Amino acid sequence: MPFINNKPQQVNLTGKLKWVEYMANLLDDKFRIPGTKFRFGLDPIMNLIPVAGDISGFLVGAALVWVMARHGVSRKVLILMVVNICVDALIGAVPLVGQISDFYYKSNSRNIKLLKEHYKEGKHQGQGTGVLVVVFLVLLVFFAAFLFLLYAITKWVVGWI
């Protein structure tokens, strides 16, 4: 276990989780545009295929989170990782905006950073209840905005008839 007496142990990512770091790099940062510092991976390339690219990127990200969860991260880190891949999937589902965001919002690299901070620096400990409350409130606001938009569109269409 990576935790003894609720204190993080030093975990070497060259061992069991090194392939997770490799996959995150492959998906987010493997290639560089010559003459620049701009890096990208296979994720934005896969997302050029409508729907299938988004789903495959989400599934690979979810599999990486599942593997990292099996290695004893705290609940808060796990919640933050799931939020990262969900935000990536939601933004990625929007045509054009999603293609552009895939080059900048690199959820797998963010998750590896969270993992390293958790193991090496002891950050992000705890239950993550605050994160869940914030996510719930944001989703509630989006749902309310969606209902209002739906109401406004319906009113406009009915007024048109």
Side-chain angles (χ1 to χ4, degrees):
M1 289 275 307
F3 286 90
I4 296 177
N5 299 328
N6 292 329
K7 293 183 179 177
Q9 279 183 312
Q10 292 292 75
V11 173
N12 186 359
L13 289 182
T14 59
K16 295 178 184 177
L17 297 177
K18 188 63 180 175
W19 74 271
V20 174
E21 187 175 21
Y22 173 78
M23 286 299 296
N25 182 52
L26 180 65
L27 289 170
D28 291 341
D29 294 320
K30 184 67 174 174
F31 310 109
R32 184 177 59 85
I33 295 176
T36 69
K37 291 183 180 182
F38 185 75
R39 301 189 72 79
F40 65 96
L42 291 179
D43 191 32
I45 295 170
M46 289 188 316
N47 288 340
L48 293 174
I49 304 168
V51 181
D54 293 325
I55 291 172
S56 63
F58 177 77
L59 291 176
V60 171
L64 294 178
V65 169
W66 180 72
V67 168
M68 290 184 265
R70 290 187 59 218
H71 285 85
V73 296
S74 73
R75 181 175 168 206
K76 183 176 181 181
V77 171
L78 189 59
I79 290 168
L80 291 171
M81 288 178 172
V82 170
V83 167
N84 277 337
I85 64 169
C86 287
V87 166
D88 187 31
L90 287 173
I91 294 172
V94 178
L96 190 61
V97 172
Q99 306 329 61
I100 295 168
S101 74
D102 284 331
F103 285 100
Y104 296 103
Y105 190 84
K106 301 173 180 186
S107 64
N108 298 307
S109 295
R110 289 172 186 255
N111 287 345
I112 292 297
K113 182 181 177 203
L114 283 170
L115 186 70
K116 287 179 178 181
E117 288 173 350
H118 177 71
Y119 283 141
K120 292 181 180 179
E121 300 170 21
K123 290 184 176 180
H124 314 295
Q125 302 296 325
Q127 295 296 314
T129 306
V131 176
L132 286 176
V133 168
V134 169
V135 168
F136 176 75
L137 290 175
V138 167
L139 288 175
L140 189 64
V141 167
F142 276 117
F143 183 68
F146 174 74
L147 287 178
F148 177 76
L149 183 64
L150 189 61
Y151 168 76
I153 290 171
T154 304
K155 187 176 175 182
W156 179 70
V157 168
V158 168
W160 215 35
I161 295 176

